[in-house]
Amino acid sequence: VADQAFVTLGTDDVYCQGALVLGQSLRNHMTSRKLAILITPQVSSVMRAVLCSVFDEVIEVDAIDSADSMHLALLERPELGVTFTKLHCWTLTQYSKCVFMDADTLVLCNIDELFEREELSAAPDSGWPDCFNSGVFVFRPSVETYNRLLQFATEHGSFDGGDQGLLNSFFSNWATTDIGKHLPFIYNLSSSAIYTYVPAFKHFGRDAKVVHFLGSAKPWHYKYNPQTRTIMQDGSTSGSQHQFSYLVLWWKIYYASILPLLEKLPEMEDMESQGQKDETTHLISELSTQLKPEEPNAEDERKKWEEGRMDYMGKDAFEHIKKKLDTFLK
Ligand code: UDP
Ligand code: GLC
Ligand code: MN
């Protein structure tokens, strides 16, 4: 099925990290479809090289920004004007059918069956279920549709300032016409729905196929401890255990499959310019700030001892304890 693809979008190096995890999760679940990513000129050459090792096609497009600060303020997401760039996905006419997925989504199993659906299929938005969420949708590339969308955007704008408002107005009969175009919510489970309807999540959550980290707190904003395989929780993080388990899954993929690609890249000597070297060093240092192993906190440590949960093989190994005792006995 070489003429069908999963498509995502990354307008900067940060969102591209999300796209890499998404792409890797699709590969881990053996998709038989192609993987394509739309990027904008802002994406660094280092990031492009990494993207090439996960995606079949890395396609540069111009950024389109709604510049609609008024509606974006209502959405409380001033940064999302640039999501109009998503519209470029309709120009990918080398494919007959595609599934678009936001860079902040993660697949939990093979979802190739989505290609049996027609344009425009999508799951309800948890904030307003008569709208579809534009983080996951099935579409048919067509230059004609692309031009009509641009025309529509110029004439009517978007009620939320981003692509979702525009697409819902354009495909306006989604809510009422063809139930076949309503994807089950498990194909776009927004992490916020987990706490807004806990019993439903308890009942249906195990069937989830795609998790969408919708909202301003993205997986890459959290800190992850690779030793304990936990998300570091401080005053600024909130969420249920389930949300954290999806975040941990995101980070496990990032840590196991994406970071090694980034680290392997700088066969620094092979890089042509100093600029490119600096870019790589900068990127890697930015990424590694997210990976701070947790500093042991004295109180937690004591609690662990009192509960009999010592780290016998590591810092509580007998040789370490003996060394400590020796310092007292000297
Ligand atoms: N996006 C991007 N750069 C940006 C903002 C958004 O590339 O600065 C893309 C990215 O694919 C992202 C999608 O547009 O997943 C939609 O934005 P986001 O996921 O942040 O919106 P939310 O789902 O939280 O409403
Ligand atoms: C939504 C969607 C996202 C879209 C944004 C702006 O919340 O999840 O994909 O880009 O709205 O319209
Ligand atoms: Mn999203």
Side-chain angles (χ1 to χ4, degrees):
V1 238
D3 68 339
Q4 298 186 339
F6 286 99
V7 180
T8 187
L9 164 69
T11 65
D12 58 30
D13 284 10
V14 177
Y15 271 96
C16 282
Q17 293 178 76
L20 284 166
V21 172
L22 164 66
Q24 187 62 45
S25 71
L26 284 160
R27 295 242 180 260
N28 291 350
H29 295 290
M30 309 293 177
T31 180
S32 59
R33 284 6 186 235
K34 290 275 191 301
L35 302 188
I37 180 165
L38 301 172
I39 59 165
T40 56
Q42 205 190 325
V43 173
S44 72
S45 51
V46 174
M47 183 50 85
R48 288 169 197 235
V50 184
L51 289 170
C52 285
S53 57
V54 172
F55 289 86
D56 297 296
E57 275 205 282
V58 179
I59 303 150
E60 188 182 286
V61 296
D62 292 327
I64 314 179
D65 197 324
S66 71
D68 182 354
S69 50
M70 192 183 82
H71 285 117
L72 289 166
L74 284 178
L75 191 65
E76 296 181 10
R77 298 291 298 280
E79 74 278 18
L80 291 189
V82 75
T83 62
F84 266 31
T85 312
K86 229 186 243 185
L87 301 181
H88 278 290
C89 70
W90 267 274
T91 65
L92 301 176
T93 51
Q94 62 272 46
Y95 302 112
S96 64
K97 195 190 274 186
C98 298
V99 174
F100 181 89
M101 300 186 75
D102 266 8
D104 61 343
T105 59
L106 175 68
V107 315
L108 307 175
C109 60
N110 185 292
I111 52 167
D112 288 355
E113 70 273 13
L114 283 180
F115 290 90
E116 290 161 21
R117 305 269 179 162
E118 261 315 316
E119 176 172 282
L120 185 290
S121 294
D125 185 85
S126 58
W128 194 269
D130 282 346
C131 286
F132 58 84
N133 180 275
S134 63
V136 177
F137 61 88
V138 182
F139 69 102
R140 280 194 182 276
S142 145
V143 174
E144 195 206 325
T145 310
Y146 174 70
N147 287 329
R148 281 173 49 218
L149 276 162
L150 287 189
Q151 178 74 25
F152 191 92
T154 317
E155 284 169 15
H156 308 279
S158 161
F159 67 77
D160 72 0
D163 64 293
Q164 180 163 305
L166 173 69
L167 292 173
N168 271 277
S169 303
F170 188 84
F171 295 100
S172 61
N173 62 5
W174 174 84
T176 51
T177 307
D178 180 358
I179 194 70
K181 293 183 179 176
H182 283 228
L183 297 181
F185 193 61
I186 50 172
Y187 286 99
N188 186 348
L189 178 77
S190 68
S191 32
S192 56
I194 297 172
Y195 59 78
T196 46
Y197 196 5
V198 176
F201 179 76
K202 283 210 149 129
H203 195 64
F204 299 111
R206 76 193 65 206
D207 301 327
K209 290 172 189 276
V210 178
V211 176
H212 185 178
F213 299 99
L214 185 145
S216 38
K218 299 301 187 202
W220 49 88
H221 294 139
Y222 292 83
K223 285 199 171 17
Y224 175 68
N225 184 332
Q227 272 100 50
T228 56
R229 298 186 162 197
T230 50
I231 298 291
M232 292 170 64
Q233 299 182 35
D234 56 31
S236 66
T237 53
S238 63
S240 67
Q241 249 0 86
H242 295 291
Q243 280 170 289
F244 281 110
S245 67
Y246 290 130
L247 287 168
V248 167
L249 190 60
W250 188 97
W251 270 100
K252 275 188 187 162
I253 298 176
Y254 185 76
Y255 198 74
S257 307
I258 307 305
L259 253 198
L261 292 177
L262 291 160
E263 284 164 354
K264 191 177 78 189
L265 236 211
E267 325 277 46
M268 289 279 228
E269 296 79 65
D270 302 346
M271 281 195 197
E272 286 134 40
S273 67
Q274 185 60 40
Q276 224 169 348
K277 281 184 203 172
D278 295 345
E279 217 176 86
T280 314
T281 318
H282 177 72
L283 181 62
I284 290 181
S285 79
E286 289 242 302
L287 298 179
S288 53
T289 59
Q290 305 285 146
L291 294 164
K292 287 216 188 79
E294 215 161 346
E295 288 294 331
N297 141 336
E299 189 144 330
D300 288 352
E301 289 303 296
R302 174 143 55 106
K303 204 156 158 241
K304 275 191 197 150
W305 267 84
E306 286 168 0
E307 290 168 359
R309 294 186 289 126
M310 298 87 173
D311 179 13
Y312 292 116
M313 311 297 280
K315 62 182 186 324
D316 304 330
F318 180 68
E319 54 185 305
H320 293 155
I321 296 172
K322 183 168 179 295
K323 218 183 266 173
K324 183 87 182 176
L325 288 174
D326 287 346
T327 62
F328 292 125
L329 296 173
K330 255 184 208 151

